[in-house]
């Protein structure tokens, strides 16, 4: 293998090894095999272009064009079509899918599902980096600079990764690939770092290239061994030093830390919760809408049975989060919920719910109805009494118990407080009021002012809570929109009150903050709405059922759910409807749940519906209404014809060299029998020999060239005589006196006979290559390159002449 070929292989290998660092960003790693195949094609195109040879700019352009065409045909038809015909499928669909991938990256949490858009972005990014590495290392022969795009690729992956467990392995792969690329680029440069202890065996290493060659199976010479040792030591130090120096902290390979807040480990006494709202917006906007939970319950009021994960009870001025609270062992029977009185407990009933979590649902907190009284589940779990949540215990270093694939049963209480009980609730205790009415000092005054204005004239906390709920859900003019930025700081509440547009996070956070400003203890619960009932009596909870709601505390009742979010499919508790209108808000949800149990009061307008929901038919009309008439739901005849034409064009691309040679051969052999025809036939004979591996030698005479073709082509007697007759005709055409007859009636037959003899003298593989990928097709590229150079020179000459003709500016 030549030095440049070796460099091409290792450039592609370095890109592929570095791209492994992107594997942790998506759920599936199947795209890596596709990336490897595409990088191989891209490298092969570059190697072929350099062998022709082409200009450097044309080599890069050819690689870019082939890579783009492959991506276009791979992903054609997967995006949103904006027209018919091949142009829509191959161009506009491709652009739409690229834009969709950009939106998917912003919507999904890591690891994200491998959607078509994200897959396109990954493959396009790897190919772009591969093109830059190949251009720098092979085309421009500066392999050291090729480390910059590799570093950029690794840095993007490392910066986005949420799990540091495999970071060291990704860095090791990337570093190894770059080191191999440097070794392939110049052993002579690495040899400058070490001393040459002995001369290389003759023929072992090329003095010109430094890539080795000649004798096979020999050991590496001393300079190369020295360079390898230095590279291994440098790579080892890069891996070992960050781990040996704790002061480096979160460096290139440093972890972010996942231990408990008090460092107590598996038997820890507190929990520092990871905010689950990071992925709530992604779940609401999920396109695949995966089912995360299945359950069966004996409850008679499933619409009120929200599946709760945890409560966020601390507003620190930046965001709502779960405060660190003591943990204990999970009791067989959980204690009574805080604040629940005997009168409300007497009217409650206990329900039993059996859950089954999906294998793809990884959550450290156990989803269950509130308030749970007992849980039957395997594994290591801990109980947090204040929020009545179960959290997975530590199983090992950076590993915790989670709900993935778990099956468990929860016993919970179905509380039925009355309006009278809530209205007559006594004031909460000092401890509850102190913990759950805290507000940051930087909370904008508009929050408390709006709360007092909305609840003006109310005589008790219950009435104030209902008025706040109605303000958001009915009378305040708020709109539900999952595309709104999910800021959670104190200024975000003020912006939400001004813009009046957001999703459940904004409504829950704002009502909780306003309730606290009125002295009502409040917190925010995170979990799921009940989901969608199945035909077998079970319920499915999907990603779009993710939800957040405020819980307000009333002495004697405990923590009570309210529902300020104006979204269809949301169940408003009976106890909060005593003073509320029966209608829902005039601006309904932009993202209705599949489990909707109550109709929307007013149909949404088409202008208010996102394009994603228009495809699903969730904008007030059936999806079938979008396309009416025969043939709706399938491509048009013009589109099918466009697909067929595109497929024919794609299949015909590899056949273009063969078709060009056949056309040129027919034109040359149909030129007649004069002197011009003889020279054309001679060129055809030379190209036929070139196609089987006999490169043309312009320095030889016709007779010498014929003897070379006969010898190297190992021709049979008939083909040998044909070649000699054509060579003799060429000599007569070139050297015969003027007026001599140079006619040769059997010229075309002799050329075809010689070509058949040349093809018969090579192997089947060589014969197939001579026909499908003839070497002489390089003349097309040479001609195009010559015309381009001539046109460039002509343009430069005209430009210079035009500048000379410009009148000079007079001085003075």
């Amino acid at each position: 293998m030549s030095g440049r070929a070796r460099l091409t292989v290792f450039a592609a290998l370095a890109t592929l090894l570095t791209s492994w660092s992107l594997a942790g960003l998506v759920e599936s790693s199947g795209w890596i095999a596709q990336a490897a195949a595409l990088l191989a094609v891209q490298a092969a195109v570059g190697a072929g272009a350099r062998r022709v040879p082409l200009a450097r700019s044309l080599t890069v352009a050819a690689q870019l064009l082939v890579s783009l065409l492959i991506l276009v045909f791979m992903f054609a038809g997967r995006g949103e079509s904006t027209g018919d015909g091949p142009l829509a499928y191959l161009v506009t669909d491709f652009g739409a899918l690229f834009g969709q991938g950009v939106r998917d990256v912003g919507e999904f949490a890591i690891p994200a599902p491998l959607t078509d858009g994200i897959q396109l972005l990954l493959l396009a990014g790897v190919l772009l980096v591969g093109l830059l590495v190949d251009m720098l290392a092979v085309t421009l022969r500066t392999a050291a600079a090729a480390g910059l795009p590799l570093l950029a690729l690794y840095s993007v992956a490392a910066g986005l990764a949420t799990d540091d467990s495999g970071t060291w392995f990704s860095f090791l792969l990337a570093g190894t690939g770059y080191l191999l690329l440097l070794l392939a680029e110049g052993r002579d440069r690495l040899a400058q770092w070490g001393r040459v202890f002995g001369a290389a065996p003759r023929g072992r290493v090329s003095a010109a290239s430094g890539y080795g060659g000649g004798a096979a199976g020999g050991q590496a010479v001393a300079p190369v061994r020295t360079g390898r040792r230095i590279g291994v030591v440098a790579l080892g130090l890069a891996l070992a030093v960050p781990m040996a120096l704790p002061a480096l902290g979160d460096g290139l390979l440093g972890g972010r830390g996942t231990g408990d807040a008090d460092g107590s480990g598996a038997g820890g006494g507190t929990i520092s919760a990871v905010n689950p709202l990071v992925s709530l917006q992604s779940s609401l906007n999920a396109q695949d809408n995966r089912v995360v939970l299945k359950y069966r319950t004996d409850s008679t009021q499933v619409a009120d049975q929200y599946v709760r994960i945890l409560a966020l009870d601390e507003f620190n001025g930046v965001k709502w989060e779960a405060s660190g609270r003591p943990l204990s062992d999970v009791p067989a029977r959980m204690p009574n919920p805080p604040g629940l009185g005997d009168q409300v407990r007497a009217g409650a009933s206990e329900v039993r719910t059996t859950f089954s979590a999906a294998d793809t649902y990884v959550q450290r907190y156990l989803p269950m109805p509130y308030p749970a009284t007992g849980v039957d589940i395997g594994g290591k779990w801990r109980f947090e009494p204040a929020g009545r949540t179960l959290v997975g215990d530590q199983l090992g270093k950076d590993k915790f118990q989670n709900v993935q694939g778990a099956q468990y049963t929860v016993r919970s209480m179905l509380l039925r407080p009355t309006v009278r009980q809530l209205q007559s609730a006594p004031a909460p205790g000092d401890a509850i009021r102190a913990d759950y009415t805290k507000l940051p000092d930087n909370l904008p005054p508009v929050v408390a002012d709006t709360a007092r204005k909305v609840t003006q004239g109310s005589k008790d906390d219950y009435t104030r809570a209902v008025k706040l709920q109605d303000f958001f859900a009915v009378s305040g003019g708020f709109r539900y929109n999952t595309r709104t930025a999910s800021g959670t700081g104190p200024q975000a509440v003020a912006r939400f009150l001004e813009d009046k547009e957001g999703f459940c996070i904004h409504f829950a956070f704002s009502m909780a903050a306003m309730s606290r400003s009125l002295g009502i203890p409040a917190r925010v619960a995170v979990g799921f709405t009940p989901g969608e009932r199945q035909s077998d009596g079970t319920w499915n909870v999907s990603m779009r059922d993710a939800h957040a709601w405020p819980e307000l505390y009333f002495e004697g009742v405990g923590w009570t759910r309210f529902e300020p979010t104006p979204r269809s499919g949301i169940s408003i508790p009976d106890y909060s409807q005593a003073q509320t209108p029966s209608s829902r808000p005039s601006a309904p949800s932009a993202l209705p749940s599949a489990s909707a149990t109550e109709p929307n009061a007013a149909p949404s307008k088409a202008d208010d519906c996102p394009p994603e929901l228009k495809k699903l038919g969730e904008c007030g009309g059936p999806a079938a209404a979008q396309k009416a008439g025969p043939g709706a739901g399938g491509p048009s005849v013009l589109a099918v014809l466009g697909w067929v034409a595109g497929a024919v064009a794609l299949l015909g691309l590899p056949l273009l060299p063969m078709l060009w040679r056949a056309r040129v051969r027919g034109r040359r052999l149909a030129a007649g029998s004069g002197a011009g025809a003889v020279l054309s036939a001679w060129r055809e004979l030379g190209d036929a020999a070139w196609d089987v591996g006999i490169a043309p030698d312009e320095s030889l005479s016709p007779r010498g060239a014929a003897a070379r073709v006969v010898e190297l082509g190992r021709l049979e007697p008939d083909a040998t005589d044909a070649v000699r007759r054509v060579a003799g005709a060429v000599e007569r055409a070139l050297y015969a006196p003027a007026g001599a007859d140079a006619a040769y009636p059997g010229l075309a037959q002799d050329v075809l006979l010689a070509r058949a003899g040349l093809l018969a003298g090579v192997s089947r593989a060589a014969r197939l290559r001579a026909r499908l990928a003839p070497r002489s097709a390089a003349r097309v590229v040479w001609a195009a390159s010559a015309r381009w150079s001539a046109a460039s020179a002509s343009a430069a000459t005209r430009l210079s002449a035009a500048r000379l003709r410009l009148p000079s500016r007079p001085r003075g």
Side-chain angles (χ1 to χ4, degrees):
M1 183 185 294
S2 65
R4 176 163 284 185
R6 183 183 296 107
L7 195 58
T8 301
V9 172
F10 281 104
L13 181 61
T15 305
L16 182 62
L17 293 178
T18 307
S19 65
W20 177 262
S21 58
L22 298 170
L25 303 182
V26 292
E27 295 176 349
S28 174
S29 58
W31 64 273
I32 295 181
Q34 296 178 332
L38 294 178
L39 284 172
V41 173
Q42 186 182 76
V45 172
R50 285 185 286 266
R51 187 177 179 85
V52 169
L54 289 180
R56 292 177 175 178
S57 58
L58 293 180
T59 299
V60 177
Q63 290 178 282
L64 179 62
L65 178 61
V66 172
S67 302
L68 183 61
L69 287 176
I70 294 176
L71 287 178
V72 167
F73 280 100
M74 278 183 63
F75 292 94
R78 298 190 190 182
E80 297 182 9
S81 180
T82 57
D84 293 328
L87 186 62
Y89 279 99
L90 299 179
V91 179
T92 59
D93 285 7
F94 183 75
L97 187 62
F98 195 90
Q100 184 60 50
V102 175
R103 292 190 294 271
D104 289 346
V105 169
E107 292 175 6
F108 289 109
I110 295 173
L114 188 61
T115 64
D116 290 337
I118 293 179
Q119 184 180 6
L120 173 59
L121 291 183
L122 288 172
L123 293 178
V126 172
L127 283 179
L128 179 59
V129 172
L131 179 61
L132 293 176
V133 172
D134 186 88
M135 178 184 69
L136 293 172
V138 188
T139 304
L140 302 180
R141 308 289 290 196
T142 55
L148 294 177
L150 294 176
L151 178 61
L153 179 61
Y154 174 80
S155 300
V156 170
L160 295 176
T162 57
D163 183 8
D164 291 336
S165 59
T167 305
W168 68 270
F169 183 68
S170 299
F171 176 73
L172 180 62
L173 288 180
T176 302
Y178 183 54
L179 181 60
L180 292 175
L181 179 60
L182 291 179
L183 287 173
E185 191 265 346
R187 299 184 181 185
D188 55 341
R189 297 187 182 182
L190 290 176
Q192 296 175 7
W193 291 11
R195 178 182 175 186
V196 179
F197 297 103
R202 181 174 301 177
R204 178 77 56 82
V205 179
S206 172
S209 66
Y211 290 101
Q219 299 295 324
V221 296
V224 177
R225 290 197 301 268
T226 304
R228 290 177 181 173
R229 292 167 184 169
I230 292 173
V232 170
V233 171
L235 185 60
L237 289 175
L239 289 172
V241 169
M243 294 186 289
L245 298 177
L248 293 181
D250 296 340
L252 186 62
L253 302 176
R256 296 181 178 88
T258 55
D260 292 339
D262 63 351
S264 55
T270 63
I271 173 176
S272 179
V274 177
N275 195 340
L277 296 175
V278 172
S279 60
L280 181 56
Q281 186 174 19
S282 299
S283 299
L284 292 172
N285 290 321
Q287 297 182 6
D288 53 357
N289 198 27
R290 292 169 292 167
V291 174
V292 295
L293 291 172
K294 293 177 179 289
Y295 68 89
R296 185 184 295 274
T297 182
D298 57 8
S299 174
T300 58
Q301 295 178 246
V302 184
D304 292 329
Q305 183 171 292
Y306 279 29
V307 184
R308 188 172 174 273
I309 297 177
L310 82 163
L312 310 178
D313 55 4
E314 185 175 291
F315 189 21
N316 59 12
V318 178
K319 61 183 178 180
W320 285 83
E321 59 185 2
S323 59
R325 294 183 180 274
L327 297 178
S328 63
D329 294 333
V330 180
R333 176 78 182 184
M334 296 182 183
N336 288 330
L340 181 61
D342 295 337
Q343 188 177 5
V344 177
R345 185 170 61 248
S349 60
E350 187 172 82
V351 298
R352 185 183 181 90
T353 307
T354 302
F355 288 89
S356 177
D359 292 334
T360 58
Y361 182 50
V362 180
Q363 170 63 256
R364 191 180 168 192
Y365 301 90
L366 188 68
M368 54 186 183
Y370 181 87
T373 58
V375 181
D376 297 326
I377 187 174
K380 298 180 64 176
W381 297 87
R382 306 281 285 171
F383 177 59
E384 193 272 289
R388 299 182 71 83
T389 58
L390 261 64
V391 60
D393 204 352
Q394 189 167 7
L395 302 177
K397 183 180 180 181
D398 299 335
K399 185 177 181 182
F400 295 86
Q401 179 72 53
N402 61 62
V403 75
Q404 184 178 18
Q407 295 186 359
Y408 57 99
T409 301
V410 180
R411 299 180 302 278
S412 59
M413 299 178 66
L414 181 59
L415 302 178
R416 301 182 181 88
T418 64
V419 173
R420 184 177 297 277
Q421 290 170 338
L422 291 167
Q423 285 179 330
S424 60
D430 293 339
I432 292 291
R433 185 182 295 274
D435 287 344
Y436 294 100
T437 58
K438 291 180 181 178
L439 287 172
D441 296 335
N442 58 349
L443 187 68
V446 67
V447 178
D449 294 342
T450 304
R452 287 192 297 267
K453 180 179 179 181
V454 170
T455 61
Q456 186 176 6
S458 302
K459 299 181 179 180
D460 54 79
D461 287 346
Y462 165 76
T463 305
R464 296 185 184 96
V466 172
K467 285 188 175 181
L468 286 178
Q469 175 181 271
D470 291 350
F471 170 68
F472 290 110
V474 179
S475 61
F478 289 86
R479 292 180 48 80
Y480 182 81
N481 183 7
T482 60
R483 304 292 177 177
T484 306
S486 56
T488 55
Q491 296 299 329
V493 178
R495 288 196 302 270
F496 171 64
L497 293 176
E498 180 181 358
D499 299 338
K500 295 189 174 184
E501 187 174 65
F503 57 103
C504 57
I505 288 179
H506 301 88
F507 290 98
F509 285 0
S510 299
M511 181 172 175
M514 294 171 73
S515 297
R516 287 192 173 191
S517 71
L518 298 173
I520 306 174
R523 65 188 185 186
V524 176
V526 178
F528 299 95
T529 54
E532 181 179 3
R533 181 181 175 87
Q534 306 299 302
S535 59
D536 59 355
T538 61
W539 291 74
N540 285 356
V541 178
S542 61
M543 295 177 65
R544 290 188 190 172
D545 293 316
H547 192 47
W549 61 92
E551 290 182 344
L552 276 58
Y553 181 86
F554 294 90
E555 192 67 37
V557 180
W559 289 103
T560 307
R561 176 175 68 91
F562 283 81
E563 193 51 80
T565 303
R567 169 182 167 187
S568 62
I570 294 295
S571 171
I572 297 181
D574 293 337
Y575 51 77
S576 67
Q577 298 187 41
Q579 300 179 11
T580 61
S582 59
S583 62
R584 295 299 290 154
S586 58
S589 164
L591 186 59
S593 171
S595 59
T597 58
E598 58 183 19
N600 198 1
S604 62
K605 298 179 182 179
D607 295 340
D608 299 332
C609 185
E612 293 81 2
L613 299 182
K614 289 181 180 179
K615 294 194 302 179
L616 300 176
E618 296 183 317
C619 298
Q626 296 177 6
K627 287 187 178 182
S636 63
V637 176
L638 186 60
V640 173
L641 293 177
W643 269 110
V644 173
V648 171
L650 180 62
L651 295 176
L653 283 176
L655 302 179
L656 288 180
M658 181 184 68
L659 298 176
W660 176 83
R661 281 290 292 119
R663 181 174 180 272
V664 170
R665 185 182 306 112
R667 188 174 66 250
R668 286 172 173 173
L669 299 182
S673 58
V678 171
L679 297 180
S680 297
W682 178 247
R683 283 193 293 270
E684 174 58 32
L685 181 58
D687 284 352
W690 189 10
D691 292 340
V692 297
I694 306 174
D697 188 350
E698 303 295 340
S699 64
L700 297 176
S701 65
R703 188 169 301 180
R708 180 170 176 267
V709 169
V710 169
E711 180 183 359
L712 296 180
R714 299 185 296 275
L715 298 181
E716 297 293 334
D718 293 342
T720 298
D721 295 341
V723 171
R724 290 172 176 169
R725 285 196 295 271
V726 175
V730 173
E731 289 179 339
R732 290 192 299 272
L734 292 176
Y735 309 122
D741 185 12
Y744 184 6
L747 179 65
Q749 290 78 7
D750 281 343
V751 172
L752 295 177
L753 179 59
R755 178 175 180 271
L758 290 169
L759 293 175
V762 296
S763 64
R764 179 177 299 179
R767 187 160 56 249
L768 186 63
R769 175 183 175 178
R771 287 173 173 169
L772 297 180
R775 295 177 175 85
S776 60
R779 294 190 185 277
V780 178
V781 182
W782 289 353
S785 181
R787 292 179 181 177
W788 174 264
S789 300
S792 301
S794 177
T797 302
R798 294 194 192 97
L799 182 60
S800 299
R803 289 177 178 176
L804 291 175
R805 288 195 297 268
L806 290 176
S808 59
R809 180 178 297 178
R811 299 181 179 180

